[in-house]
PDB file of all heavy atoms in Angstrom:
ATOM      1  N   ASN X 401      65.408  72.647 -23.152  1.00 92.00           N
ATOM      2  CA  ASN X 401      66.182  71.688 -22.268  1.00 92.00           C
ATOM      3  C   ASN X 401      65.330  71.154 -21.091  1.00 92.00           C
ATOM      4  O   ASN X 401      65.877  70.660 -20.109  1.00 92.00           O
ATOM      5  CB  ASN X 401      67.483  72.325 -21.750  1.00 92.00           C
ATOM      6  CG  ASN X 401      67.167  73.598 -20.873  1.00 92.00           C
ATOM      7  OD1 ASN X 401      66.071  73.958 -20.691  1.00 92.00           O
ATOM      8  ND2 ASN X 401      68.218  74.236 -20.414  1.00 92.00           N
ATOM      9  N   ALA X 402      64.026  71.335 -21.208  1.00 92.00           N
ATOM     10  CA  ALA X 402      63.134  70.898 -20.109  1.00 92.00           C
ATOM     11  C   ALA X 402      63.253  69.395 -19.861  1.00 92.00           C
ATOM     12  O   ALA X 402      62.976  68.935 -18.777  1.00 92.00           O
ATOM     13  CB  ALA X 402      61.700  71.257 -20.470  1.00 92.00           C
ATOM     14  N   TYR X 403      63.722  68.693 -20.896  1.00 91.00           N
ATOM     15  CA  TYR X 403      63.825  67.225 -20.705  1.00 91.00           C
ATOM     16  C   TYR X 403      64.735  66.825 -19.521  1.00 91.00           C
ATOM     17  O   TYR X 403      64.674  65.765 -18.940  1.00 91.00           O
ATOM     18  CB  TYR X 403      64.358  66.562 -22.001  1.00 91.00           C
ATOM     19  CG  TYR X 403      65.782  66.908 -22.335  1.00 91.00           C
ATOM     20  CD1 TYR X 403      66.830  66.129 -21.872  1.00 91.00           C
ATOM     21  CD2 TYR X 403      66.081  68.059 -23.073  1.00 91.00           C
ATOM     22  CE1 TYR X 403      68.164  66.459 -22.110  1.00 91.00           C
ATOM     23  CE2 TYR X 403      67.429  68.401 -23.371  1.00 91.00           C
ATOM     24  CZ  TYR X 403      68.461  67.582 -22.883  1.00 91.00           C
ATOM     25  OH  TYR X 403      69.726  67.915 -23.175  1.00 91.00           O
ATOM     26  N   LEU X 404      65.633  67.805 -19.158  1.00 92.00           N
ATOM     27  CA  LEU X 404      66.591  67.524 -18.037  1.00 92.00           C
ATOM     28  C   LEU X 404      65.814  67.249 -16.769  1.00 92.00           C
ATOM     29  O   LEU X 404      66.222  66.443 -15.914  1.00 92.00           O
ATOM     30  CB  LEU X 404      67.506  68.721 -17.822  1.00 92.00           C
ATOM     31  CG  LEU X 404      68.489  69.031 -18.924  1.00 92.00           C
ATOM     32  CD1 LEU X 404      69.306  70.312 -18.643  1.00 92.00           C
ATOM     33  CD2 LEU X 404      69.516  67.857 -19.092  1.00 92.00           C
ATOM     34  N   LEU X 405      64.644  67.873 -16.635  1.00 92.00           N
ATOM     35  CA  LEU X 405      63.865  67.709 -15.422  1.00 92.00           C
ATOM     36  C   LEU X 405      63.210  66.299 -15.322  1.00 92.00           C
ATOM     37  O   LEU X 405      62.836  65.849 -14.274  1.00 92.00           O
ATOM     38  CB  LEU X 405      62.695  68.717 -15.329  1.00 92.00           C
ATOM     39  CG  LEU X 405      63.049  70.216 -15.337  1.00 92.00           C
ATOM     40  CD1 LEU X 405      61.751  71.017 -15.264  1.00 92.00           C
ATOM     41  CD2 LEU X 405      63.896  70.530 -14.161  1.00 92.00           C
ATOM     42  N   PHE X 406      63.166  65.669 -16.529  1.00 90.00           N
ATOM     43  CA  PHE X 406      62.406  64.392 -16.575  1.00 90.00           C
ATOM     44  C   PHE X 406      63.262  63.191 -16.898  1.00 90.00           C
ATOM     45  O   PHE X 406      62.726  62.123 -17.201  1.00 90.00           O
ATOM     46  CB  PHE X 406      61.288  64.566 -17.652  1.00 90.00           C
ATOM     47  CG  PHE X 406      60.398  65.703 -17.364  1.00 90.00           C
ATOM     48  CD1 PHE X 406      60.576  66.927 -18.042  1.00 90.00           C
ATOM     49  CD2 PHE X 406      59.368  65.640 -16.436  1.00 90.00           C
ATOM     50  CE1 PHE X 406      59.771  68.043 -17.760  1.00 90.00           C
ATOM     51  CE2 PHE X 406      58.589  66.723 -16.205  1.00 90.00           C
ATOM     52  CZ  PHE X 406      58.738  67.899 -16.829  1.00 90.00           C
ATOM     53  N   LYS X 407      64.558  63.333 -16.747  1.00 87.00           N
ATOM     54  CA  LYS X 407      65.452  62.207 -17.051  1.00 87.00           C
ATOM     55  C   LYS X 407      65.273  61.103 -15.993  1.00 87.00           C
ATOM     56  O   LYS X 407      64.847  61.383 -14.876  1.00 87.00           O
ATOM     57  CB  LYS X 407      66.895  62.658 -16.970  1.00 87.00           C
ATOM     58  CG  LYS X 407      67.371  63.388 -18.216  1.00 87.00           C
ATOM     59  CD  LYS X 407      68.819  63.874 -18.047  1.00 87.00           C
ATOM     60  CE  LYS X 407      69.779  63.091 -18.868  1.00 87.00           C
ATOM     61  NZ  LYS X 407      71.165  63.576 -18.778  1.00 87.00           N
ATOM     62  N   GLY X 408      65.574  59.876 -16.371  1.00 84.00           N
ATOM     63  CA  GLY X 408      65.527  58.806 -15.389  1.00 84.00           C
ATOM     64  C   GLY X 408      66.522  59.031 -14.289  1.00 84.00           C
ATOM     65  O   GLY X 408      67.553  59.756 -14.494  1.00 84.00           O
ATOM     66  N   GLU X 409      66.306  58.459 -13.151  1.00 85.00           N
ATOM     67  CA  GLU X 409      67.168  58.732 -11.960  1.00 85.00           C
ATOM     68  C   GLU X 409      68.626  58.342 -12.247  1.00 85.00           C
ATOM     69  O   GLU X 409      69.539  59.117 -11.924  1.00 85.00           O
ATOM     70  CB  GLU X 409      66.590  57.938 -10.776  1.00 85.00           C
ATOM     71  CG  GLU X 409      67.514  57.687  -9.620  1.00 85.00           C
ATOM     72  CD  GLU X 409      67.881  58.969  -8.857  1.00 85.00           C
ATOM     73  OE1 GLU X 409      67.480  60.081  -9.292  1.00 85.00           O
ATOM     74  OE2 GLU X 409      68.619  58.871  -7.884  1.00 85.00           O
ATOM     75  N   LYS X 410      68.831  57.166 -12.835  1.00 83.00           N
ATOM     76  CA  LYS X 410      70.187  56.699 -13.064  1.00 83.00           C
ATOM     77  C   LYS X 410      70.995  57.647 -13.964  1.00 83.00           C
ATOM     78  O   LYS X 410      72.112  57.988 -13.666  1.00 83.00           O
ATOM     79  CB  LYS X 410      70.200  55.295 -13.700  1.00 83.00           C
ATOM     80  CG  LYS X 410      69.627  54.219 -12.748  1.00 83.00           C
ATOM     81  CD  LYS X 410      70.692  53.632 -11.895  1.00 83.00           C
ATOM     82  CE  LYS X 410      70.073  52.643 -10.899  1.00 83.00           C
ATOM     83  NZ  LYS X 410      70.953  52.182  -9.858  1.00 83.00           N
ATOM     84  N   SER X 411      70.318  58.095 -15.065  1.00 85.00           N
ATOM     85  CA  SER X 411      71.098  58.984 -15.973  1.00 85.00           C
ATOM     86  C   SER X 411      71.276  60.344 -15.422  1.00 85.00           C
ATOM     87  O   SER X 411      72.281  60.996 -15.660  1.00 85.00           O
ATOM     88  CB  SER X 411      70.467  58.933 -17.369  1.00 85.00           C
ATOM     89  OG  SER X 411      69.258  59.576 -17.393  1.00 85.00           O
ATOM     90  N   PHE X 412      70.274  60.848 -14.642  1.00 89.00           N
ATOM     91  CA  PHE X 412      70.445  62.131 -14.020  1.00 89.00           C
ATOM     92  C   PHE X 412      71.618  62.109 -13.022  1.00 89.00           C
ATOM     93  O   PHE X 412      72.483  62.962 -12.944  1.00 89.00           O
ATOM     94  CB  PHE X 412      69.158  62.494 -13.265  1.00 89.00           C
ATOM     95  CG  PHE X 412      69.106  63.935 -12.849  1.00 89.00           C
ATOM     96  CD1 PHE X 412      68.611  64.947 -13.649  1.00 89.00           C
ATOM     97  CD2 PHE X 412      69.592  64.376 -11.590  1.00 89.00           C
ATOM     98  CE1 PHE X 412      68.586  66.264 -13.263  1.00 89.00           C
ATOM     99  CE2 PHE X 412      69.597  65.700 -11.188  1.00 89.00           C
ATOM    100  CZ  PHE X 412      69.051  66.648 -12.045  1.00 89.00           C
ATOM    101  N   ASN X 413      71.661  60.968 -12.257  1.00 88.00           N
ATOM    102  CA  ASN X 413      72.713  60.777 -11.300  1.00 88.00           C
ATOM    103  C   ASN X 413      74.074  60.706 -12.018  1.00 88.00           C
ATOM    104  O   ASN X 413      75.060  61.270 -11.526  1.00 88.00           O
ATOM    105  CB  ASN X 413      72.402  59.507 -10.562  1.00 88.00           C
ATOM    106  CG  ASN X 413      73.178  59.418  -9.231  1.00 88.00           C
ATOM    107  OD1 ASN X 413      74.106  60.146  -8.970  1.00 88.00           O
ATOM    108  ND2 ASN X 413      72.794  58.505  -8.325  1.00 88.00           N
ATOM    109  N   LYS X 414      74.064  60.002 -13.105  1.00 87.00           N
ATOM    110  CA  LYS X 414      75.332  59.873 -13.886  1.00 87.00           C
ATOM    111  C   LYS X 414      75.837  61.247 -14.374  1.00 87.00           C
ATOM    112  O   LYS X 414      76.999  61.570 -14.351  1.00 87.00           O
ATOM    113  CB  LYS X 414      75.075  58.951 -15.074  1.00 87.00           C
ATOM    114  CG  LYS X 414      76.253  58.001 -15.394  1.00 87.00           C
ATOM    115  CD  LYS X 414      75.936  57.107 -16.571  1.00 87.00           C
ATOM    116  CE  LYS X 414      75.557  55.736 -16.121  1.00 87.00           C
ATOM    117  NZ  LYS X 414      75.136  54.881 -17.267  1.00 87.00           N
ATOM    118  N   SER X 415      74.868  62.081 -14.849  1.00 90.00           N
ATOM    119  CA  SER X 415      75.227  63.384 -15.409  1.00 90.00           C
ATOM    120  C   SER X 415      75.671  64.399 -14.309  1.00 90.00           C
ATOM    121  O   SER X 415      76.535  65.150 -14.520  1.00 90.00           O
ATOM    122  CB  SER X 415      74.064  64.015 -16.141  1.00 90.00           C
ATOM    123  OG  SER X 415      73.559  63.142 -17.091  1.00 90.00           O
ATOM    124  N   TYR X 416      74.971  64.333 -13.190  1.00 92.00           N
ATOM    125  CA  TYR X 416      75.220  65.399 -12.202  1.00 92.00           C
ATOM    126  C   TYR X 416      75.755  64.882 -10.829  1.00 92.00           C
ATOM    127  O   TYR X 416      76.085  65.693  -9.933  1.00 92.00           O
ATOM    128  CB  TYR X 416      73.935  66.230 -11.933  1.00 92.00           C
ATOM    129  CG  TYR X 416      73.415  66.861 -13.210  1.00 92.00           C
ATOM    130  CD1 TYR X 416      72.360  66.305 -13.924  1.00 92.00           C
ATOM    131  CD2 TYR X 416      74.045  67.963 -13.751  1.00 92.00           C
ATOM    132  CE1 TYR X 416      71.923  66.861 -15.078  1.00 92.00           C
ATOM    133  CE2 TYR X 416      73.600  68.558 -14.914  1.00 92.00           C
ATOM    134  CZ  TYR X 416      72.542  67.965 -15.570  1.00 92.00           C
ATOM    135  OH  TYR X 416      72.094  68.553 -16.753  1.00 92.00           O
ATOM    136  N   GLY X 417      75.806  63.585 -10.675  1.00 92.00           N
ATOM    137  CA  GLY X 417      76.403  63.006  -9.444  1.00 92.00           C
ATOM    138  C   GLY X 417      75.515  63.304  -8.178  1.00 92.00           C
ATOM    139  O   GLY X 417      76.080  63.405  -7.087  1.00 92.00           O
ATOM    140  N   VAL X 418      74.219  63.448  -8.440  1.00 92.00           N
ATOM    141  CA  VAL X 418      73.410  63.731  -7.215  1.00 92.00           C
ATOM    142  C   VAL X 418      72.147  62.819  -7.311  1.00 92.00           C
ATOM    143  O   VAL X 418      71.584  62.633  -8.404  1.00 92.00           O
ATOM    144  CB  VAL X 418      73.063  65.223  -7.118  1.00 92.00           C
ATOM    145  CG1 VAL X 418      72.307  65.725  -8.335  1.00 92.00           C
ATOM    146  CG2 VAL X 418      72.220  65.519  -5.895  1.00 92.00           C
ATOM    147  N   CYS X 419      71.790  62.251  -6.181  1.00 88.00           N
ATOM    148  CA  CYS X 419      70.681  61.268  -6.257  1.00 88.00           C
ATOM    149  C   CYS X 419      69.328  61.950  -5.884  1.00 88.00           C
ATOM    150  O   CYS X 419      69.299  62.958  -5.218  1.00 88.00           O
ATOM    151  CB  CYS X 419      70.961  60.031  -5.430  1.00 88.00           C
ATOM    152  SG  CYS X 419      70.834  60.368  -3.695  1.00 88.00           S
TER     153      CYS X 419
END
Side-chain angles (χ1 to χ4, degrees):
Chain X
N401 61 0
Y403 68 91
L404 294 174
L405 301 181
F406 304 98
K407 279 177 112 176
E409 164 66 357
K410 294 271 176 189
S411 68
F412 193 89
N413 198 345
K414 218 180 257 174
S415 307
Y416 301 103
V418 59
C419 73

